[in-house]
Amino acid sequence: MAGHSKWHNIKRRKESQDAKRAKIFTKLSKEIFAAVREGGDDPSTNLRLRMAITKARAENIPSDNIERTVKKASGEAGAVDYDEITYEGYGPGGAAVMVKALTENKNRTAADVRHAFSKNGGNLGENGCVSFMFNRKGQLIADRKDEIDEEEFMLEAIEAGAEDFESDDQSFYIQTDPDNFEQVKKDLESNNYEFLKAEIILFPDTNTALKDEHAEKMIKMIDALEDNDDVQSVYHNFEADEEQLSRISY
């Protein structure tokens, strides 16, 4: 599958060990808030809100908390509004990086993102410098469970309209056209499949392997960016295998 790499699994293991619930809730609340302000509080007609709520539920955010955030966002005028900003640049070794942020303080966020890049050997670029290397795709990730037959799951995914299907020792990965994403998800959920993540993301056209010293800095840069409350998503074309990751500290 284009854009998939072992880095995803390392990231998942790290998240399971040290994720801070408050930080996750802050990021998801901001996304829900921005979605409501943009398209209203009805998930049936607001795709962005529908997807934000799906993410929140996947992270086990209580329904009461989700509902309170939606109500707050749809309340009185004058409530905080977030600016959506995309930063583009290159990580150490030349890997392409895109950062999506939601912030009420653009100067603070720009300074923080620039610092994360420069501290780890990367550099920010102009808008458009790397975005042409990425395409929007739907991604569905399911835990690999003993009761799931891989071949049957793959056939059902393709029949539902998936573009690609891949697996490793932990998970199944389904890629879709963004326009078919919801239908594929709905069809597979109707067959009792559950997903750890279901979202529209940016996939790189090609992946970039890095030398160990650059790979280590790249991982530290990604961690620093994702640790920022204003940063919603970090996309990159960095690819590493388990052998390399075992050699470096991350």
Side-chain angles (χ1 to χ4, degrees):
M1 177 181 293
H4 172 58
S5 73
K6 292 293 184 182
W7 167 245
H8 174 81
N9 290 332
I10 299 302
K11 179 172 177 288
R12 276 190 58 201
R13 286 200 287 272
K14 183 179 185 302
E15 285 176 342
S16 67
Q17 293 165 5
D18 62 15
K20 297 176 182 177
R21 300 305 302 167
K23 187 173 293 292
I24 291 172
F25 179 61
T26 295
K27 290 176 182 282
L28 291 172
S29 294
K30 288 170 74 171
E31 176 60 23
I32 291 171
F33 198 100
V36 172
R37 303 291 277 188
E38 177 185 76
D41 61 1
D42 185 355
S44 67
T45 58
N46 185 340
L47 174 59
R48 181 177 178 180
L49 176 59
R50 193 155 64 243
M51 293 184 63
I53 291 174
T54 296
K55 286 184 188 180
R57 288 174 175 164
E59 295 290 351
N60 297 314
I61 302 299
S63 295
D64 288 348
N65 289 2
I66 295 172
E67 291 174 7
R68 279 198 298 271
T69 303
V70 170
K71 288 179 180 178
K72 181 179 179 181
S74 57
E76 297 181 2
V80 63
D81 279 321
Y82 296 107
D83 290 306
E84 298 185 61
I85 308 172
T86 299
Y87 302 94
E88 302 181 37
Y90 296 91
V97 182
M98 293 189 66
V99 180
K100 301 278 189 179
L102 283 172
T103 180
E104 76 283 5
N105 188 328
K106 292 187 286 186
N107 292 334
R108 178 194 66 213
T109 306
D112 288 347
V113 170
R114 183 174 291 106
H115 178 70
F117 271 81
S118 61
K119 182 180 179 181
N120 294 287
N123 61 282
L124 281 177
E126 299 293 331
N127 287 342
C129 69
V130 300
S131 57
F132 67 92
M133 303 180 191
F134 295 82
N135 291 301
R136 291 177 70 250
K137 293 289 182 181
Q139 184 183 63
L140 302 164
I141 302 176
D143 245 344
R144 191 178 190 112
K145 299 178 180 179
D146 292 339
E147 63 267 25
I148 295 180
D149 181 275
E150 180 173 352
E151 184 174 354
E152 181 180 349
F153 190 18
M154 179 180 66
L155 290 174
E156 290 186 36
I158 292 173
E159 185 177 348
E163 290 185 342
D164 206 349
F165 182 99
E166 191 176 87
S167 65
D168 58 25
D169 59 355
Q170 292 189 61
S171 307
F172 297 105
Y173 306 87
I174 297 170
Q175 187 183 99
T176 77
D177 182 283
D179 293 335
N180 295 336
F181 168 78
E182 284 207 284
Q183 189 60 53
V184 173
K185 178 175 177 289
K186 181 179 178 180
D187 288 352
L188 292 175
E189 285 178 336
S190 71
N191 290 331
N192 298 316
Y193 292 110
E194 298 179 351
F195 297 103
L196 295 169
K197 288 195 174 182
E199 56 188 335
I200 304 293
I201 67 173
L202 295 178
F203 270 80
D205 290 329
T206 59
N207 292 318
T208 298
L210 301 176
K211 295 179 180 179
D212 286 0
E213 61 267 29
H214 291 150
E216 183 173 350
K217 289 182 178 179
M218 182 70 178
I219 292 173
K220 289 179 179 178
M221 188 183 83
I222 294 169
D223 284 346
L225 289 167
E226 292 185 336
D227 197 48
N228 189 307
D229 286 343
D230 295 333
V231 172
Q232 295 297 103
S233 303
V234 180
Y235 303 107
H236 56 82
N237 67 352
F238 164 52
E239 181 177 48
D241 58 25
E242 294 283 2
E243 182 180 351
Q244 182 181 41
L245 290 168
S246 68
R247 295 195 302 268
I248 63 179
S249 173
Y250 57 88

